[in-house]
Amino acid sequence: MHLFKFLRLIPVLIAAALMSGCDLVLMSPSGDIAAQQRDLILWATFLMLLVIVPVIILTLVFAFRYRAGRNATYKPDWDHSTVLELVIWGAPLMIIIALGAMTWVSTHKLDPYRPLERIDANRPVPEGVEPLVIEVVSLDWKWLFFYPEQNVAVVNELAAPVDRPIRFKITSEGAMNSFFIPALAGQIYSMAGMETKLHAVINEVGVYDGFSANYSGAGFSDMRFKFHGLSDEDFDAWIAKVKASPNTLTRDVYRELEQPSQANPVTYYASADETLYHDILNRCLESGDVCMDEMMAFTELGLTMCIAGDPRDREAGSEKEVRELLDLTMAGDNGRSINQ
């Protein structure tokens, strides 16, 4: 008997041991967007439990009350109760309406493409503060981060100042991946030839885990990085450390970097080709390649694709005229570029 009781405790002990290593970062995030997503999860769970818990309790009550051998009230002609019908249909209906309204508002408010309007629940974004732009490229199997404002690049390490909005621009060299820093914001996919965006802010100094949440091959488990939330002074010091690196990210270096590799160490590049991210996104790294944004611009203008498609044809045409047309189309009537 004692042995049987001990065996029943084994699954509980195993579960407790496994959960002892969890820090439940999703429930204690350090960024405002992740905090709002946490609140949404908690409210949705609470609303659903308003139905689930009473149903479980009533199931047990009915099973006990009407068990065999108990003299419960017997009403063979009972067929309707207005109060019971209102409870059965009204309560779930109200919960569904509440969930729908909350989902509608949150879907727009937490849209990853939407620029931030606040730093946290008590502070709006200060007027005149521009977001820190970070360009993200997922490779096999590592992450490459460009800082265009500082003109540096880093492999498998990320940093940002506390309480400053961040605008991530995300693409992929090949395989689709998912960019995810649980303490900062929800995940968003990276896809070749496409650019996704994520707006977020980190509110607490610390070091947080980032990784790919989408399986992409043999080196997927090593596709991790550390995200550093830093004070303004420490962020400037981090940028200075990156700029002190002897490495430069040229196109030739990138061609080596894009080759599949696993467990890559953190690598700093003191400078980077300013057009490299654009050309990765638009699939025109090699000489003579036509960038996707150029193709779209020519298509919108109704020009023959041979001008954009063959370097010899482009040289035969008016280079100045083509460039002026491209600039005009990419700027658009409202100043919106094709990439945006």
Side-chain angles (χ1 to χ4, degrees):
M1 179 63 69
H2 293 293
L3 178 61
F4 177 72
K5 290 182 177 180
F6 175 75
L7 291 176
R8 288 194 304 175
L9 290 175
I10 290 179
V12 178
L13 295 174
I14 293 175
L18 291 174
M19 292 185 67
S20 65
C22 299
D23 58 5
L24 296 177
V25 64
L26 288 175
M27 294 296 104
S28 58
S30 301
D32 183 58
I33 295 296
Q36 293 182 69
Q37 293 171 337
R38 183 267 319 272
D39 294 343
L40 178 61
I41 293 172
L42 292 177
W43 274 109
T45 303
F46 171 75
L47 288 173
M48 289 185 287
L49 288 176
L50 290 179
V51 170
I52 296 172
V53 171
V55 168
I56 293 174
I57 294 174
L58 289 173
T59 300
L60 298 175
V61 169
F62 291 163
F64 177 80
R65 181 183 177 91
Y66 297 104
R67 71 189 185 278
R70 181 173 177 84
N71 295 323
T73 303
Y74 178 59
K75 295 181 179 180
D77 298 324
W78 182 88
D79 63 355
H80 179 74
S81 170
T82 302
V83 174
L84 188 59
E85 291 286 346
L86 288 174
V87 172
I88 290 175
W89 293 104
L93 180 60
M94 296 302 295
I95 291 172
I96 291 172
I97 291 173
L99 279 172
M102 187 168 60
T103 302
W104 173 267
V105 173
S106 299
T107 298
H108 293 84
K109 187 177 181 180
L110 298 177
D111 181 357
Y113 282 60
R114 180 176 179 173
L116 299 186
E117 297 176 352
R118 71 183 207 185
I119 293 175
D120 56 35
N122 301 314
R123 292 179 294 169
V125 175
E127 186 176 351
V129 172
E130 293 295 327
L132 173 68
V133 177
I134 301 177
E135 297 167 339
V136 182
V137 180
S138 61
L139 303 164
D140 292 334
W141 287 275
K142 48 198 167 286
W143 293 96
L144 174 61
F145 304 108
F146 292 93
Y147 287 77
E149 182 181 332
Q150 292 80 14
N151 191 32
V152 299
V154 183
V155 171
N156 284 347
E157 187 174 278
L158 190 60
V162 168
D163 292 340
R164 180 179 175 182
I166 311 168
R167 181 168 70 229
F168 293 101
K169 302 165 70 175
I170 305 166
T171 191
S172 174
E173 171 59 38
M176 183 172 72
N177 277 283
S178 180
F179 178 74
F180 191 23
I181 305 174
L184 181 70
Q187 66 169 328
I188 188 164
Y189 287 102
S190 64
M191 293 168 281
M194 299 179 65
E195 182 181 87
T196 52
K197 294 183 177 66
L198 176 66
H199 291 83
V201 62
I202 192 71
N203 299 120
E204 298 179 14
V205 172
V207 181
Y208 308 98
D209 291 322
F211 52 88
S212 172
N214 185 76
Y215 181 74
S216 59
F220 162 76
S221 59
D222 293 317
M223 203 168 172
R224 295 175 170 270
F225 61 91
K226 293 296 183 182
F227 171 62
H228 299 263
L230 304 171
S231 65
D232 291 339
E233 295 77 12
D234 289 340
F235 178 71
D236 291 340
W238 183 81
I239 291 293
K241 182 172 68 172
V242 176
K243 284 185 174 292
S245 169
N247 302 320
T248 300
L249 185 57
T250 63
R251 290 175 183 266
D252 291 336
V253 172
Y254 177 78
R255 291 188 185 95
E256 297 177 4
L257 190 63
E258 71 177 340
Q259 299 304 312
S261 58
Q262 300 182 29
N264 282 72
V266 174
T267 307
Y268 298 145
Y269 297 94
S271 63
D273 187 324
E274 294 182 357
T275 62
L276 188 53
Y277 174 80
H278 168 274
D279 292 348
I280 295 170
L281 170 62
N282 288 283
R283 318 300 290 171
C284 53
L285 283 167
E286 302 299 328
S287 176
D289 287 347
V290 181
C291 295
M292 290 172 56
D293 55 356
E294 290 186 0
M295 288 186 181
M296 289 186 287
F298 273 92
T299 302
E300 287 190 22
L301 291 170
L303 300 177
T304 56
M305 289 305 297
C306 65
I307 298 178
D310 191 326
R312 293 170 298 179
D313 292 336
R314 192 188 303 180
E315 290 174 4
S318 170
E319 184 70 23
K320 180 179 180 181
E321 180 182 354
V322 169
R323 178 49 54 191
E324 288 177 352
L325 289 171
L326 281 174
D327 292 342
L328 177 63
T329 303
M330 292 177 65
D333 294 336
N334 58 358
R336 178 180 58 87
S337 81
I338 292 296
N339 283 336
Q340 296 300 318

